[in-house]
PDB file of all heavy atoms in Angstrom:
ATOM      1  N   SER A   1      17.395  25.946 -13.455  1.00 94.00           N
ATOM      2  CA  SER A   1      18.451  25.211 -13.985  1.00 94.00           C
ATOM      3  C   SER A   1      19.729  25.750 -13.282  1.00 94.00           C
ATOM      4  O   SER A   1      19.918  26.912 -13.254  1.00 94.00           O
ATOM      5  CB  SER A   1      18.531  25.458 -15.491  1.00 94.00           C
ATOM      6  OG  SER A   1      19.848  25.176 -15.999  1.00 94.00           O
ATOM      7  N   THR A   2      20.557  24.690 -12.838  1.00 96.00           N
ATOM      8  CA  THR A   2      21.819  25.122 -12.202  1.00 96.00           C
ATOM      9  C   THR A   2      22.742  25.795 -13.230  1.00 96.00           C
ATOM     10  O   THR A   2      23.532  26.669 -12.833  1.00 96.00           O
ATOM     11  CB  THR A   2      22.435  23.900 -11.520  1.00 96.00           C
ATOM     12  OG1 THR A   2      22.659  22.880 -12.446  1.00 96.00           O
ATOM     13  CG2 THR A   2      21.671  23.421 -10.329  1.00 96.00           C
ATOM     14  N   ASN A   3      22.733  25.357 -14.481  1.00 96.00           N
ATOM     15  CA  ASN A   3      23.623  26.023 -15.490  1.00 96.00           C
ATOM     16  C   ASN A   3      23.073  27.444 -15.711  1.00 96.00           C
ATOM     17  O   ASN A   3      23.866  28.391 -15.753  1.00 96.00           O
ATOM     18  CB  ASN A   3      23.385  25.271 -16.860  1.00 96.00           C
ATOM     19  CG  ASN A   3      24.512  24.323 -17.099  1.00 96.00           C
ATOM     20  OD1 ASN A   3      24.978  23.615 -16.204  1.00 96.00           O
ATOM     21  ND2 ASN A   3      24.868  24.179 -18.393  1.00 96.00           N
ATOM     22  N   ASN A   4      21.731  27.679 -15.756  1.00 95.00           N
ATOM     23  CA  ASN A   4      21.241  29.037 -15.931  1.00 95.00           C
ATOM     24  C   ASN A   4      21.565  29.879 -14.783  1.00 95.00           C
ATOM     25  O   ASN A   4      22.001  31.116 -14.929  1.00 95.00           O
ATOM     26  CB  ASN A   4      19.750  29.021 -16.152  1.00 95.00           C
ATOM     27  CG  ASN A   4      19.330  28.516 -17.535  1.00 95.00           C
ATOM     28  OD1 ASN A   4      20.112  28.280 -18.409  1.00 95.00           O
ATOM     29  ND2 ASN A   4      18.072  28.304 -17.675  1.00 95.00           N
ATOM     30  N   TYR A   5      21.517  29.383 -13.592  1.00 97.00           N
ATOM     31  CA  TYR A   5      21.889  30.179 -12.420  1.00 97.00           C
ATOM     32  C   TYR A   5      23.308  30.716 -12.449  1.00 97.00           C
ATOM     33  O   TYR A   5      23.620  31.894 -12.226  1.00 97.00           O
ATOM     34  CB  TYR A   5      21.611  29.355 -11.150  1.00 97.00           C
ATOM     35  CG  TYR A   5      22.076  30.084  -9.903  1.00 97.00           C
ATOM     36  CD1 TYR A   5      21.410  31.131  -9.384  1.00 97.00           C
ATOM     37  CD2 TYR A   5      23.305  29.618  -9.294  1.00 97.00           C
ATOM     38  CE1 TYR A   5      21.842  31.807  -8.215  1.00 97.00           C
ATOM     39  CE2 TYR A   5      23.740  30.317  -8.195  1.00 97.00           C
ATOM     40  CZ  TYR A   5      23.026  31.355  -7.673  1.00 97.00           C
ATOM     41  OH  TYR A   5      23.590  32.041  -6.560  1.00 97.00           O
ATOM     42  N   LEU A   6      24.218  29.765 -12.688  1.00 98.00           N
ATOM     43  CA  LEU A   6      25.592  30.218 -12.726  1.00 98.00           C
ATOM     44  C   LEU A   6      25.902  31.161 -13.910  1.00 98.00           C
ATOM     45  O   LEU A   6      26.744  32.022 -13.701  1.00 98.00           O
ATOM     46  CB  LEU A   6      26.522  28.885 -12.823  1.00 98.00           C
ATOM     47  CG  LEU A   6      26.522  28.037 -11.641  1.00 98.00           C
ATOM     48  CD1 LEU A   6      27.541  26.886 -11.896  1.00 98.00           C
ATOM     49  CD2 LEU A   6      26.873  28.804 -10.379  1.00 98.00           C
ATOM     50  N   LYS A   7      25.250  31.008 -14.979  1.00 97.00           N
ATOM     51  CA  LYS A   7      25.493  31.984 -16.007  1.00 97.00           C
ATOM     52  C   LYS A   7      25.003  33.366 -15.728  1.00 97.00           C
ATOM     53  O   LYS A   7      25.505  34.347 -15.955  1.00 97.00           O
ATOM     54  CB  LYS A   7      24.786  31.427 -17.358  1.00 97.00           C
ATOM     55  CG  LYS A   7      25.555  30.281 -17.969  1.00 97.00           C
ATOM     56  CD  LYS A   7      25.000  29.953 -19.388  1.00 97.00           C
ATOM     57  CE  LYS A   7      23.597  29.531 -19.393  1.00 97.00           C
ATOM     58  NZ  LYS A   7      23.099  29.119 -20.745  1.00 97.00           N
ATOM     59  N   ARG A   8      23.770  33.323 -14.980  1.00 96.00           N
ATOM     60  CA  ARG A   8      23.168  34.651 -14.525  1.00 96.00           C
ATOM     61  C   ARG A   8      24.167  35.363 -13.575  1.00 96.00           C
ATOM     62  O   ARG A   8      24.243  36.579 -13.606  1.00 96.00           O
ATOM     63  CB  ARG A   8      21.796  34.345 -14.021  1.00 96.00           C
ATOM     64  CG  ARG A   8      20.654  34.086 -14.892  1.00 96.00           C
ATOM     65  CD  ARG A   8      19.355  34.201 -14.276  1.00 96.00           C
ATOM     66  NE  ARG A   8      19.153  33.401 -13.142  1.00 96.00           N
ATOM     67  CZ  ARG A   8      18.530  32.230 -13.087  1.00 96.00           C
ATOM     68  NH1 ARG A   8      18.125  31.669 -14.303  1.00 96.00           N
ATOM     69  NH2 ARG A   8      18.480  31.481 -12.044  1.00 96.00           N
ATOM     70  N   GLU A   9      24.720  34.464 -12.805  1.00 97.00           N
ATOM     71  CA  GLU A   9      25.465  35.111 -11.555  1.00 97.00           C
ATOM     72  C   GLU A   9      26.927  35.029 -11.856  1.00 97.00           C
ATOM     73  O   GLU A   9      27.817  35.366 -10.932  1.00 97.00           O
ATOM     74  CB  GLU A   9      25.197  34.379 -10.309  1.00 97.00           C
ATOM     75  CG  GLU A   9      23.725  34.446  -9.890  1.00 97.00           C
ATOM     76  CD  GLU A   9      23.346  35.926  -9.571  1.00 97.00           C
ATOM     77  OE1 GLU A   9      24.218  36.658  -8.959  1.00 97.00           O
ATOM     78  OE2 GLU A   9      22.152  36.260  -9.847  1.00 97.00           O
ATOM     79  N   SER A  10      27.371  34.777 -13.081  1.00 96.00           N
ATOM     80  CA  SER A  10      28.838  34.477 -13.414  1.00 96.00           C
ATOM     81  C   SER A  10      29.779  35.690 -12.927  1.00 96.00           C
ATOM     82  O   SER A  10      30.818  35.480 -12.496  1.00 96.00           O
ATOM     83  CB  SER A  10      29.041  34.146 -14.817  1.00 96.00           C
ATOM     84  OG  SER A  10      28.578  35.267 -15.643  1.00 96.00           O
ATOM     85  N   GLY A  11      29.164  37.022 -13.088  1.00 94.00           N
ATOM     86  CA  GLY A  11      29.976  38.053 -12.795  1.00 94.00           C
ATOM     87  C   GLY A  11      30.218  38.244 -11.204  1.00 94.00           C
ATOM     88  O   GLY A  11      31.066  39.024 -10.821  1.00 94.00           O
ATOM     89  N   ASN A  12      29.408  37.549 -10.433  1.00 96.00           N
ATOM     90  CA  ASN A  12      29.515  37.717  -8.954  1.00 96.00           C
ATOM     91  C   ASN A  12      30.116  36.449  -8.311  1.00 96.00           C
ATOM     92  O   ASN A  12      30.162  36.489  -7.080  1.00 96.00           O
ATOM     93  CB  ASN A  12      28.108  37.899  -8.439  1.00 96.00           C
ATOM     94  CG  ASN A  12      27.363  39.171  -8.957  1.00 96.00           C
ATOM     95  OD1 ASN A  12      27.944  40.166  -9.193  1.00 96.00           O
ATOM     96  ND2 ASN A  12      26.139  38.910  -9.375  1.00 96.00           N
ATOM     97  N   LEU A  13      30.409  35.420  -9.111  1.00 97.00           N
ATOM     98  CA  LEU A  13      30.911  34.165  -8.427  1.00 97.00           C
ATOM     99  C   LEU A  13      32.362  33.857  -8.882  1.00 97.00           C
ATOM    100  O   LEU A  13      32.805  34.238  -9.944  1.00 97.00           O
ATOM    101  CB  LEU A  13      30.060  33.111  -8.941  1.00 97.00           C
ATOM    102  CG  LEU A  13      28.585  33.127  -8.449  1.00 97.00           C
ATOM    103  CD1 LEU A  13      27.752  32.076  -9.177  1.00 97.00           C
ATOM    104  CD2 LEU A  13      28.474  33.004  -6.884  1.00 97.00           C
ATOM    105  N   PRO A  14      33.139  33.079  -7.946  1.00 96.00           N
ATOM    106  CA  PRO A  14      34.434  32.796  -8.215  1.00 96.00           C
ATOM    107  C   PRO A  14      34.596  31.622  -9.114  1.00 96.00           C
ATOM    108  O   PRO A  14      33.651  30.862  -9.173  1.00 96.00           O
ATOM    109  CB  PRO A  14      35.036  32.541  -6.765  1.00 96.00           C
ATOM    110  CG  PRO A  14      33.837  32.021  -6.037  1.00 96.00           C
ATOM    111  CD  PRO A  14      32.661  32.748  -6.599  1.00 96.00           C
ATOM    112  N   ASP A  15      35.807  31.448  -9.654  1.00 96.00           N
ATOM    113  CA  ASP A  15      36.181  30.200 -10.345  1.00 96.00           C
ATOM    114  C   ASP A  15      35.931  28.883  -9.423  1.00 96.00           C
ATOM    115  O   ASP A  15      36.305  28.995  -8.185  1.00 96.00           O
ATOM    116  CB  ASP A  15      37.651  30.286 -10.737  1.00 96.00           C
ATOM    117  CG  ASP A  15      38.058  29.197 -11.617  1.00 96.00           C
ATOM    118  OD1 ASP A  15      37.245  28.490 -12.284  1.00 96.00           O
ATOM    119  OD2 ASP A  15      39.228  28.912 -11.618  1.00 96.00           O
ATOM    120  N   GLY A  16      35.193  28.054  -9.875  1.00 97.00           N
ATOM    121  CA  GLY A  16      34.896  26.760  -9.208  1.00 97.00           C
ATOM    122  C   GLY A  16      33.612  26.838  -8.444  1.00 97.00           C
ATOM    123  O   GLY A  16      33.218  25.840  -7.724  1.00 97.00           O
ATOM    124  N   ALA A  17      32.932  27.966  -8.563  1.00 98.00           N
ATOM    125  CA  ALA A  17      31.603  28.015  -7.914  1.00 98.00           C
ATOM    126  C   ALA A  17      30.631  26.976  -8.304  1.00 98.00           C
ATOM    127  O   ALA A  17      30.574  26.627  -9.530  1.00 98.00           O
ATOM    128  CB  ALA A  17      30.961  29.373  -8.014  1.00 98.00           C
ATOM    129  N   THR A  18      29.870  26.343  -7.335  1.00 98.00           N
ATOM    130  CA  THR A  18      29.151  25.176  -7.723  1.00 98.00           C
ATOM    131  C   THR A  18      27.704  25.410  -7.242  1.00 98.00           C
ATOM    132  O   THR A  18      27.412  25.824  -6.022  1.00 98.00           O
ATOM    133  CB  THR A  18      29.703  23.923  -7.035  1.00 98.00           C
ATOM    134  OG1 THR A  18      31.102  23.760  -7.567  1.00 98.00           O
ATOM    135  CG2 THR A  18      28.898  22.712  -7.258  1.00 98.00           C
ATOM    136  N   ALA A  19      26.679  25.032  -7.993  1.00 98.00           N
ATOM    137  CA  ALA A  19      25.273  25.074  -7.718  1.00 98.00           C
ATOM    138  C   ALA A  19      24.826  23.581  -7.761  1.00 98.00           C
ATOM    139  O   ALA A  19      25.003  23.019  -8.748  1.00 98.00           O
ATOM    140  CB  ALA A  19      24.499  26.016  -8.552  1.00 98.00           C
ATOM    141  N   VAL A  20      24.146  23.122  -6.742  1.00 98.00           N
ATOM    142  CA  VAL A  20      23.476  21.900  -6.616  1.00 98.00           C
ATOM    143  C   VAL A  20      22.014  21.987  -6.322  1.00 98.00           C
ATOM    144  O   VAL A  20      21.609  22.786  -5.506  1.00 98.00           O
ATOM    145  CB  VAL A  20      24.181  21.059  -5.451  1.00 98.00           C
ATOM    146  CG1 VAL A  20      23.492  19.652  -5.334  1.00 98.00           C
ATOM    147  CG2 VAL A  20      25.610  20.849  -5.679  1.00 98.00           C
ATOM    148  N   ALA A  21      21.193  21.281  -7.036  1.00 96.00           N
ATOM    149  CA  ALA A  21      19.757  21.315  -6.818  1.00 96.00           C
ATOM    150  C   ALA A  21      19.080  19.906  -6.657  1.00 96.00           C
ATOM    151  O   ALA A  21      19.530  18.903  -7.205  1.00 96.00           O
ATOM    152  CB  ALA A  21      19.100  21.995  -8.016  1.00 96.00           C
ATOM    153  N   ASP A  22      18.183  19.906  -5.797  1.00 95.00           N
ATOM    154  CA  ASP A  22      17.317  18.793  -5.636  1.00 95.00           C
ATOM    155  C   ASP A  22      16.314  18.533  -6.656  1.00 95.00           C
ATOM    156  O   ASP A  22      15.859  17.435  -7.064  1.00 95.00           O
ATOM    157  CB  ASP A  22      16.618  18.774  -4.219  1.00 95.00           C
ATOM    158  CG  ASP A  22      15.744  17.539  -3.888  1.00 95.00           C
ATOM    159  OD1 ASP A  22      16.333  16.413  -3.836  1.00 95.00           O
ATOM    160  OD2 ASP A  22      14.581  17.731  -3.820  1.00 95.00           O
ATOM    161  N   GLN A  23      15.884  19.646  -7.244  1.00 93.00           N
ATOM    162  CA  GLN A  23      14.908  19.634  -8.309  1.00 93.00           C
ATOM    163  C   GLN A  23      15.254  20.894  -9.328  1.00 93.00           C
ATOM    164  O   GLN A  23      15.586  21.956  -8.915  1.00 93.00           O
ATOM    165  CB  GLN A  23      13.532  19.730  -7.867  1.00 93.00           C
ATOM    166  CG  GLN A  23      12.447  19.813  -8.852  1.00 93.00           C
ATOM    167  CD  GLN A  23      11.112  20.090  -8.254  1.00 93.00           C
ATOM    168  OE1 GLN A  23      10.959  20.873  -7.338  1.00 93.00           O
ATOM    169  NE2 GLN A  23       9.987  19.466  -8.851  1.00 93.00           N
ATOM    170  N   GLN A  24      15.005  20.522 -10.675  1.00 91.00           N
ATOM    171  CA  GLN A  24      15.097  21.606 -11.609  1.00 91.00           C
ATOM    172  C   GLN A  24      13.745  21.695 -12.315  1.00 91.00           C
ATOM    173  O   GLN A  24      13.135  20.635 -12.749  1.00 91.00           O
ATOM    174  CB  GLN A  24      16.263  21.376 -12.728  1.00 91.00           C
ATOM    175  CG  GLN A  24      17.593  21.419 -12.139  1.00 91.00           C
ATOM    176  CD  GLN A  24      18.647  21.192 -13.210  1.00 91.00           C
ATOM    177  OE1 GLN A  24      19.597  21.955 -13.385  1.00 91.00           O
ATOM    178  NE2 GLN A  24      18.491  20.148 -13.981  1.00 91.00           N
ATOM    179  N   THR A  25      13.252  22.931 -12.531  1.00 90.00           N
ATOM    180  CA  THR A  25      11.991  23.027 -13.319  1.00 90.00           C
ATOM    181  C   THR A  25      12.312  23.252 -14.817  1.00 90.00           C
ATOM    182  O   THR A  25      11.284  23.136 -15.606  1.00 90.00           O
ATOM    183  CB  THR A  25      11.260  24.231 -12.722  1.00 90.00           C
ATOM    184  OG1 THR A  25      12.038  25.385 -12.864  1.00 90.00           O
ATOM    185  CG2 THR A  25      10.822  23.990 -11.347  1.00 90.00           C
ATOM    186  N   GLY A  26      13.561  23.624 -15.196  1.00 76.00           N
ATOM    187  CA  GLY A  26      13.869  23.902 -16.508  1.00 76.00           C
ATOM    188  C   GLY A  26      15.128  23.215 -16.995  1.00 76.00           C
ATOM    189  O   GLY A  26      16.013  23.826 -17.716  1.00 76.00           O
ATOM    190  N   GLY A  27      15.405  21.944 -16.501  1.00 68.00           N
ATOM    191  CA  GLY A  27      16.678  21.257 -16.875  1.00 68.00           C
ATOM    192  C   GLY A  27      16.809  21.071 -18.387  1.00 68.00           C
ATOM    193  O   GLY A  27      15.740  20.652 -19.057  1.00 68.00           O
ATOM    194  N   ARG A  28      17.933  21.208 -18.826  1.00 63.00           N
ATOM    195  CA  ARG A  28      18.189  21.051 -20.266  1.00 63.00           C
ATOM    196  C   ARG A  28      19.336  20.081 -20.588  1.00 63.00           C
ATOM    197  O   ARG A  28      20.311  20.020 -19.855  1.00 63.00           O
ATOM    198  CB  ARG A  28      18.506  22.398 -20.995  1.00 63.00           C
ATOM    199  CG  ARG A  28      17.353  23.394 -20.869  1.00 63.00           C
ATOM    200  CD  ARG A  28      17.832  24.726 -21.542  1.00 63.00           C
ATOM    201  NE  ARG A  28      18.966  25.342 -20.787  1.00 63.00           N
ATOM    202  CZ  ARG A  28      20.207  25.534 -21.231  1.00 63.00           C
ATOM    203  NH1 ARG A  28      20.652  25.026 -22.357  1.00 63.00           N
ATOM    204  NH2 ARG A  28      21.129  26.076 -20.379  1.00 63.00           N
ATOM    205  N   GLY A  29      19.212  19.492 -21.739  1.00 57.00           N
ATOM    206  CA  GLY A  29      20.331  18.596 -22.242  1.00 57.00           C
ATOM    207  C   GLY A  29      20.817  19.191 -23.506  1.00 57.00           C
ATOM    208  O   GLY A  29      20.669  20.248 -23.844  1.00 57.00           O
ATOM    209  N   ARG A  30      21.669  18.368 -24.305  1.00 58.00           N
ATOM    210  CA  ARG A  30      22.122  18.764 -25.526  1.00 58.00           C
ATOM    211  C   ARG A  30      21.013  19.079 -26.589  1.00 58.00           C
ATOM    212  O   ARG A  30      19.970  18.432 -26.532  1.00 58.00           O
ATOM    213  CB  ARG A  30      23.081  17.782 -26.114  1.00 58.00           C
ATOM    214  CG  ARG A  30      24.278  17.512 -25.309  1.00 58.00           C
ATOM    215  CD  ARG A  30      25.250  16.450 -25.870  1.00 58.00           C
ATOM    216  NE  ARG A  30      25.746  16.953 -27.261  1.00 58.00           N
ATOM    217  CZ  ARG A  30      25.483  16.350 -28.372  1.00 58.00           C
ATOM    218  NH1 ARG A  30      24.695  15.324 -28.340  1.00 58.00           N
ATOM    219  NH2 ARG A  30      26.036  16.781 -29.534  1.00 58.00           N
ATOM    220  N   LEU A  31      21.318  19.969 -27.420  1.00 50.00           N
ATOM    221  CA  LEU A  31      20.348  20.291 -28.539  1.00 50.00           C
ATOM    222  C   LEU A  31      19.095  20.860 -28.056  1.00 50.00           C
ATOM    223  O   LEU A  31      18.058  20.755 -28.729  1.00 50.00           O
ATOM    224  CB  LEU A  31      20.228  19.136 -29.414  1.00 50.00           C
ATOM    225  CG  LEU A  31      21.415  18.513 -30.137  1.00 50.00           C
ATOM    226  CD1 LEU A  31      21.137  17.356 -30.951  1.00 50.00           C
ATOM    227  CD2 LEU A  31      22.280  19.522 -30.932  1.00 50.00           C
ATOM    228  N   GLY A  32      19.084  21.532 -26.878  1.00 54.00           N
ATOM    229  CA  GLY A  32      17.931  22.058 -26.312  1.00 54.00           C
ATOM    230  C   GLY A  32      16.825  21.142 -25.730  1.00 54.00           C
ATOM    231  O   GLY A  32      15.822  21.510 -25.347  1.00 54.00           O
ATOM    232  N   ARG A  33      17.181  19.836 -25.657  1.00 60.00           N
ATOM    233  CA  ARG A  33      16.292  18.878 -25.135  1.00 60.00           C
ATOM    234  C   ARG A  33      16.009  19.122 -23.669  1.00 60.00           C
ATOM    235  O   ARG A  33      16.946  19.513 -22.912  1.00 60.00           O
ATOM    236  CB  ARG A  33      16.789  17.436 -25.340  1.00 60.00           C
ATOM    237  CG  ARG A  33      17.033  17.085 -26.753  1.00 60.00           C
ATOM    238  CD  ARG A  33      17.426  15.645 -26.947  1.00 60.00           C
ATOM    239  NE  ARG A  33      17.761  15.150 -28.348  1.00 60.00           N
ATOM    240  CZ  ARG A  33      18.868  14.860 -28.804  1.00 60.00           C
ATOM    241  NH1 ARG A  33      19.830  14.755 -28.003  1.00 60.00           N
ATOM    242  NH2 ARG A  33      18.957  14.444 -29.959  1.00 60.00           N
ATOM    243  N   SER A  34      14.862  18.839 -23.126  1.00 58.00           N
ATOM    244  CA  SER A  34      14.521  18.821 -21.729  1.00 58.00           C
ATOM    245  C   SER A  34      15.194  17.719 -21.085  1.00 58.00           C
ATOM    246  O   SER A  34      15.475  16.674 -21.626  1.00 58.00           O
ATOM    247  CB  SER A  34      13.036  18.871 -21.419  1.00 58.00           C
ATOM    248  OG  SER A  34      12.529  17.657 -21.909  1.00 58.00           O
TER     249      SER A  34
END
């Protein structure tokens, strides 16, 4: 998940850091929906 990646690496990344993916294996929406 690009969200999960940025949260994991938040301490090492600058403001505005962006992650883009062609595929997610654990993409999530609101209320924990896949």
